[in-house]
Amino acid sequence: MAPWLELPYDITKVTAEEDKIIKRCLTGYTRPFVKCGKAGYVMPSSFTKCAETIYNMKVRPDDVWVITFPRSGTTWTQELVWLAENDLDYETAKRIPLHERFPMLETTTQIPDIAFELIKMNFMNLSSFQGLGSAVRESSWETIDKAPSPRYIKTHLPLSLLPPSLLDTAKVVYVARDPRDVCVSYYFLHKMVVKNLFKIQFHHFWEAFRRDLLPWTPIVAHTNEAWVKRYHRNLHFVFYEDLIENLPNQIRRLCTFLGRKYSDEQIENLAHHLSFDSLRKNKKVNNTIGDDGVQFIRKGEAGNWKEHFDPKLELEAEEFLIERLRGLDLNYPSISLVENTYL
């Protein structure tokens, strides 16, 4: 049995001012948020109790993990990976929700303090949203630990907060996306989940995002952790924008990484299944629709941020990217002009 490892990083509470900014954007959290590691990844305080357990989680050789920052094409990639790994078993995919086939590691830590009982009562149909119902009955990481092999695991945690044996043991798919598009999609996710309780405007949400004061931020550090290991034999790194540009080609690349081979016709059929028009209609994938028409799976576009950033926010975003990317060779395909011009 492997020795139990102590955390190699510190967990500290955010300042009172930072906590106020975070909670302005998030509803239902009563305890101070925390920052983890040198990068200061923001997490709810409940993460403190399970961080060491997650870090020591036993990784299996036949695991497949999908790691992303939130709203970076996670659901899209999960459905792709699961079908590629399961001989394109569309019938099972139609019967079993994606969050059961491909559960999220840290779901339980993300549930607001006051929401546990509401979820148990299925208030506003919350128990059916992305596996929250099961996550309040048993810790999500415990459920995954007990699951039979092969396991398909989703997480938004960066590599540094995950088991150190992960990359040397299992296959990992990391998807990155333009931070500006991520922020817009992240905003609408929260708007969908808490509905009428979500009162803030986008510019307030952006302010928290660019100050790295939302869960799982800082986004560039998160992505760079995977980027610098992109040549590892067990890591498949892909940009959301490349999936948008040529999905069949990216399916082929991913299947090669997974050791799967399909005909051109099968690839085209899979690409059709994964089209956003198709996924929006798929209740086993897009299982929640808000009253105001905001869906868990939104537009599936690259560059939609331009519709939400006024000139002031656009300038702030440019400055944010210049600062965060300085000294890195991380090259987002949609913001290479910013890099080449200013860095």
Side-chain angles (χ1 to χ4, degrees), residues 272-286:
H272 176 73
H273 174 82
L274 294 168
S275 70
F276 278 88
D277 284 343
S278 176
L279 289 184
R280 285 193 195 97
K281 299 172 185 175
N282 187 340
K283 301 300 183 183
K284 300 302 180 183
V285 176
N286 189 26

Side-chain angles (χ1 to χ4, degrees), residues 108-128:
T108 303
T109 69
Q110 301 303 311
I111 299 174
D113 308 321
I114 66 173
F116 269 82
E117 292 304 317
L118 294 176
I119 293 170
K120 289 179 181 178
M121 295 185 295
N122 200 24
F123 178 71
M124 295 173 64
N125 201 33
L126 283 173
S127 66
S128 65

Side-chain angles (χ1 to χ4, degrees), residues 15-28:
T15 67
E17 179 191 358
E18 290 172 334
D19 199 54
K20 184 177 180 180
I21 293 171
I22 296 169
K23 288 175 179 172
R24 185 181 189 182
C25 299
L26 305 178
T27 301

Side-chain angles (χ1 to χ4, degrees), residues 204-229:
H204 293 130
F205 194 86
W206 160 252
E207 178 66 16
F209 184 88
R210 78 184 184 101
R211 291 183 61 176
D212 301 327
L213 292 175
L214 289 173
W216 295 287
T217 59
I219 184 173
V220 173
H222 191 299
T223 299
N224 192 58
E225 283 195 26
W227 176 257
V228 298
K229 296 183 178 180

Side-chain angles (χ1 to χ4, degrees), residues 79 82-83 92-93 96-103 152 284-285:
E79 183 75 349
W82 191 91
L83 284 166
T92 299
I96 303 176
L98 181 60
H99 63 76
E100 293 181 17
R101 292 180 276 129
F102 218 127
Y152 304 97
K284 300 302 180 183
V285 176

Side-chain angles (χ1 to χ4, degrees), residues 99-311:
H99 63 76
E100 293 181 17
R101 292 180 276 129
F102 218 127
M104 179 172 165
L105 178 62
E106 68 273 24
T107 298
T108 303
T109 69
Q110 301 303 311
I111 299 174
D113 308 321
I114 66 173
F116 269 82
E117 292 304 317
L118 294 176
I119 293 170
K120 289 179 181 178
M121 295 185 295
N122 200 24
F123 178 71
M124 295 173 64
N125 201 33
L126 283 173
S127 66
S128 65
F129 176 65
Q130 297 298 304
L132 292 183
S134 59
V136 298
R137 293 189 294 271
E138 180 180 53
S139 297
S140 48
W141 52 91
E142 293 177 345
T143 301
I144 289 173
D145 191 53
K146 297 174 184 176
S149 294
R151 300 181 303 183
Y152 304 97
I153 302 170
K154 158 192 170 180
T155 183
H156 295 314
L157 295 174
L159 285 169
S160 58
L161 305 190
L162 293 171
S165 63
L166 176 57
L167 277 183
D168 290 331
T169 307
K171 289 190 179 296
V172 175
V173 178
Y174 188 98
V175 188
R177 188 182 187 185
D178 187 317
R180 297 165 295 189
D181 276 329
V182 167
C183 186
V184 171
S185 188
Y186 206 5
Y187 171 78
F188 281 105
L189 171 67
H190 284 281
K191 188 174 182 180
M192 176 194 70
V193 173
V194 299
K195 298 181 172 64
N196 294 333
L197 298 177
F198 194 69
K199 302 295 185 182
I200 70 164
Q201 299 299 311
F202 175 72
H203 67 274
H204 293 130
F205 194 86
W206 160 252
E207 178 66 16
F209 184 88
R210 78 184 184 101
R211 291 183 61 176
D212 301 327
L213 292 175
L214 289 173
W216 295 287
T217 59
I219 184 173
V220 173
H222 191 299
T223 299
N224 192 58
E225 283 195 26
W227 176 257
V228 298
K229 296 183 178 180
R230 65 193 181 279
Y231 298 121
H232 192 288
R233 69 184 187 282
N234 281 339
L235 178 63
H236 181 77
F237 188 105
V238 62
F239 284 105
Y240 180 94
E241 292 77 13
D242 290 334
L243 289 166
I244 289 285
E245 183 177 356
N246 192 333
L247 182 56
N249 183 54
Q250 293 302 323
I251 291 174
R252 291 185 182 91
R253 289 187 62 242
L254 178 60
C255 287
T256 298
F257 169 73
L258 295 173
R260 303 283 175 168
K261 187 171 179 60
Y262 295 106
S263 68
D264 288 345
E265 182 180 2
Q266 288 173 314
I267 295 292
E268 290 299 327
N269 289 339
L270 179 54
H272 176 73
H273 174 82
L274 294 168
S275 70
F276 278 88
D277 284 343
S278 176
L279 289 184
R280 285 193 195 97
K281 299 172 185 175
N282 187 340
K283 301 300 183 183
K284 300 302 180 183
V285 176
N286 189 26
N287 69 333
T288 300
I289 299 178
D291 295 336
D292 56 0
V294 178
Q295 300 191 35
F296 186 72
I297 294 177
R298 287 187 67 244
K299 293 180 176 292
E301 296 176 352
N304 180 251
W305 64 270
K306 296 173 185 177
E307 297 181 14
H308 302 274
F309 281 67
D310 61 24

